[in-house]
Every structure is written in C-alpha cells, then in structure tokens.
Amino acid sequence: FQLLFDALPAAVQQKIGPTLVAAPQLEQTLLAQDAAYLASIYQSSESAPETIRLTHFAFLDAYYGRYPEQQTEPIQLFLLQGALLHDYHVAEWWEQVSDPALRWQVCSQILDSQDEDAIIRVLALLLRHTHGGALAIGQTPASLEKLIDLAAHSAEWRVRRDSLHALQKLLPQAPGWQPVGISEKGGVQLAQLALEKSAQARRAVEILAVLQSEKAVHALLDFYTAGNQ
C-alpha cells in the first residue's frame, strides 16, 4: 500500500490518510470471493490439490479456519488432502473431517499418489487413529490393495513397514475360511511377503491368519514348494 500511497497526489494523500483499511463487512466479502475463486479453480483441476501452491493453501486454511460456517464437506475433504500433502495444520483438518469413511477416502487418494512424504504422514495417522477397524467403513478391496502394493513395492523402508502395520490394524478378523480375502492379487502378494527373509514376513503371516483366505494359503504353499525344488 505504501508504494501506491506515495504515488498519489498530495491532495489525495491528505484526504485518505496514510492507511487504508476496508470496512469489516467489505473485507469479509472480498475474502469470501477470493476463497471461493481459489477453491473452485483448484477443485476443478484433475490434479488438485496436488498442484495448489502452499501460499494459496495457507490462505484457504486461514479463511475457512476463521469462518467455519463457510465450510462444506467438499471443502473439508479438499483441505484435509492439501494439509496432508503440504504437512500444514494436519491435525486441525483431520478433526474437522470426523466421518471415518471420508477420512479413509482422503487417505486412499494420498496412498495412490507418488508423494512418499505425504504417504508416510497418512500411514502415521492410520496407525495413530485406527483401533480395531475404526476406519473400516468405506474401505474397498481396491483401496486396501494399495497398502499391500506399498508394502511389496515401495522403495522407502518406512512405507513398506507401516503399510503392513496399518493394514493389520484396519482388517477385522474373518469369521471363517473364505475363498478370497481382500483380492486374489492381494492374497498372492501377501503370500510372497510372508516367505521373504525380512521383518515384514511375520506380519504378513499374521495378516493371512486374520484374512483366512484359501487363495492366499494355496499361493503360499505353491511359492514354498517352488522355492524348495
């Protein structure tokens, strides 16, 4: 403002004074317009909120934190995902999204990204807040399979370790033997992990015991037999 003020004629400077502050009602209107515009731009993008700049996210975080009555469910989900990606006020937006199914929806989107730092943050949240299947609502075989894929293929050791641990906490005990647990692919991957000479093997075996998947056990036996021929 100072640059603009200095460029004004002296008569105008005397009239408006050295400071220019919008009336509170006008300020709120302008902030609302800016927030709505930014949110609409990023939410309409296929890669949002991955592409949102931290400064823009911080503005939306501040606005919707200041005016919680303006929050909608899509805004809350958008801001939780952005918070996880930018590591910015994660705890606040995690609490705002209290529905376990919606939390898992956001977590699943992060797990499907290529951002390993954000994935590590999501896994830490799942381990901290999941107790006896607390996020079980809304999970699908495809979303749980993401955890197995990360455990099997991630280049980051912490991701491999925490993915299996989170999966173990998320899964309820199967009432009995079933043809397939999570999925055929997931069962085969767990069987492979169970035979590895690593810290992951024991947890994979424990997960197989929870799933009681006939397909996974058959795969385990096939891999074991093939490895001993």
Side-chain angles (χ1 to χ4, degrees):
F1 172 75
Q2 190 61 46
L3 291 174
L4 175 62
F5 180 80
D6 291 342
L8 294 174
V12 177
Q13 290 180 349
Q14 293 177 357
K15 186 176 181 66
I16 66 173
T19 60
L20 180 63
V21 179
Q25 187 175 1
L26 176 58
E27 180 185 18
Q28 184 174 351
T29 299
L30 294 174
L31 287 174
Q33 290 173 347
D34 288 344
Y37 174 75
L38 276 179
S40 67
I41 289 295
Y42 284 111
Q43 285 183 299
S44 64
S45 169
E46 291 183 0
S47 59
E50 290 92 334
T51 56
I52 189 171
R53 300 175 185 174
L54 179 56
T55 51
H56 287 174
F57 178 78
F59 169 75
L60 292 174
D61 166 89
Y63 175 78
Y64 287 107
R66 181 177 177 183
Y67 302 107
E69 69 278 2
Q70 300 295 324
Q71 295 178 21
T72 62
E73 184 178 288
I75 286 293
Q76 290 178 341
L77 298 182
F78 174 80
L79 290 173
L80 174 57
Q81 190 173 356
L84 287 164
L85 288 167
H86 289 292
D87 195 17
Y88 191 91
H89 291 173
V90 173
E92 288 85 341
W93 291 110
W94 182 264
E95 291 302 319
Q96 287 293 328
V97 181
S98 57
D99 185 334
L102 295 177
R103 282 180 174 178
W104 175 253
Q105 177 183 322
V106 174
C107 290
S108 183
Q109 291 168 344
I110 297 290
L111 294 175
D112 206 26
S113 73
Q114 302 299 315
D115 190 329
E116 285 203 330
D117 289 335
I119 289 172
I120 288 171
R121 285 190 284 274
V122 165
L123 292 173
L125 278 172
L126 291 177
L127 291 174
R128 192 180 313 135
H129 294 281
T130 303
H131 304 288
L135 287 180
I137 301 173
Q139 291 169 16
T140 64
S143 62
L144 292 174
E145 220 176 63
K146 293 175 186 177
L147 291 172
I148 303 176
D149 283 336
L150 289 169
H153 302 301
S154 176
E156 173 63 48
W157 177 81
R158 285 176 58 189
V159 173
R160 296 197 304 274
R161 178 198 64 188
D162 291 350
S163 295
L164 270 192
H165 193 184
L167 179 65
Q168 187 177 33
K169 295 189 72 173
L170 286 165
L171 290 174
Q173 175 66 50
W177 285 99
Q178 52 188 336
V180 177
I182 295 172
S183 67
E184 290 193 11
K185 176 187 174 184
V188 170
Q189 287 180 310
L190 284 170
Q192 290 174 316
L193 287 169
L195 291 175
E196 287 185 356
K197 294 180 180 179
S198 68
Q200 302 291 77
R202 180 173 179 176
R203 197 176 297 279
V205 170
E206 292 172 349
I207 292 173
L208 289 174
V210 169
L211 286 174
Q212 296 195 48
S213 164
E214 295 174 2
K215 177 70 176 179
V217 171
H218 290 156
L220 182 65
L221 293 173
D222 289 343
F223 289 134
Y224 180 78
T225 302
N228 284 277
Q229 287 179 347

